[in-house]
Amino acid sequence: MKKIALFVVALMAFVACQESKSPFNYRGLAFSLSASDLVDSLLARGFVVDSAASDSGRLVALAKDGEHYRVLVGFEGEKIQAIQENYKLSTNDSTRHMWQQLRDGLEKELGSWPNCPILKDDHKKADFETDGGFISVTLENTYKPTLMVLYKPKEQK
C-alpha cells in the first residue's frame, strides 16, 4: 500500500513539474502554419485582403471593418517571417492609451515584463521575448500618431 501511495505522489509531482508551453502565436494562430493557411484563417475571421497594399510574393495586407488595425503578413515561400499590426487612431492621447492597453495585455498573457528601451510621452517601445519569438509594441506620436505591434518568430535551427 505504501508503494502505491508513493507511486501516486511521485506521478503527481512529475505531472506538476511538466511545463506545457504553447507555441509562439499571433492571436491564437501558430507561426508554424503556412503563410497561406494563416491568411485563410484571418479571412475566415472576417478580414479582407487589401490587394493594392499587398505584394503577391512577400507581403499580404489585411483589414477588417470595425477593427482599429491592419495586419501585414510578411513571408518567404510559405514560411511566415513577421506579422505586423498597424493601428489607425486619430489622436496622440488615443495612441498612448492603446499602447498601454496592448503592453499590459501582453505582459499579463506572457507572464513577463517587457524591456522598454524608450519610454517618453510621445515615443515608447516595449519588447517582449518568448521562447518562440519576439513581440514589439511601438508608439511614435509625431505629426501623425502611429502605433504598431510586430510579431517575429525566432530563427529555427
Side-chain angles (χ1 to χ4, degrees):
M1 187 67 169
K2 282 185 178 179
K3 288 182 181 182
I4 293 174
L6 185 59
F7 175 77
V8 170
V9 171
L11 183 62
M12 289 173 50
F14 177 76
V15 170
C17 291
Q18 295 296 313
E19 293 183 31
S20 64
K21 297 200 180 233
S22 61
F24 184 59
N25 67 71
Y26 169 73
R27 297 187 181 258
L29 301 172
F31 269 79
S32 59
L33 290 172
S34 67
S36 57
D37 287 343
L38 183 115
V39 170
D40 288 344
S41 296
L42 289 171
L43 292 173
R45 291 180 179 186
F47 283 85
V48 294
V49 174
D50 180 355
S51 57
S54 297
D55 174 0
S56 62
R58 304 185 67 116
L59 179 75
V60 175
L62 300 122
K64 181 178 178 182
D65 287 338
E67 291 291 346
H68 294 292
Y69 63 91
R70 294 170 41 114
V71 178
L72 303 173
V73 179
F75 57 93
E76 189 171 311
E78 279 295 312
K79 184 177 181 193
I80 301 167
Q81 300 295 314
I83 297 175
Q84 180 176 312
E85 295 176 343
N86 292 325
Y87 285 79
K88 304 176 283 187
L89 300 166
S90 59
T91 66
N92 287 348
D93 288 338
S94 62
T95 55
R96 284 186 202 107
H97 181 69
M98 182 63 78
W99 182 88
Q100 191 66 47
Q101 284 183 328
L102 290 168
R103 180 195 173 277
D104 292 347
L106 285 168
E107 186 178 304
K108 185 177 181 181
E109 179 184 335
L110 301 171
S112 67
W113 289 89
N115 175 23
C116 295
I118 302 169
L119 268 179
K120 298 178 183 176
D121 281 345
D122 290 326
H123 190 181
K124 301 177 187 221
K125 186 171 184 180
D127 296 326
F128 294 88
E129 183 175 355
T130 69
D131 290 337
F134 305 95
I135 303 172
S136 293
V137 183
T138 305
L139 167 72
E140 292 180 358
N141 279 338
T142 52
Y143 297 107
K144 182 179 177 186
T146 59
L147 176 64
M148 76 171 188
V149 182
L150 178 66
Y151 296 78
K152 190 167 183 175
K154 289 182 178 176
E155 291 297 319
Q156 301 297 323
K157 295 180 182 181

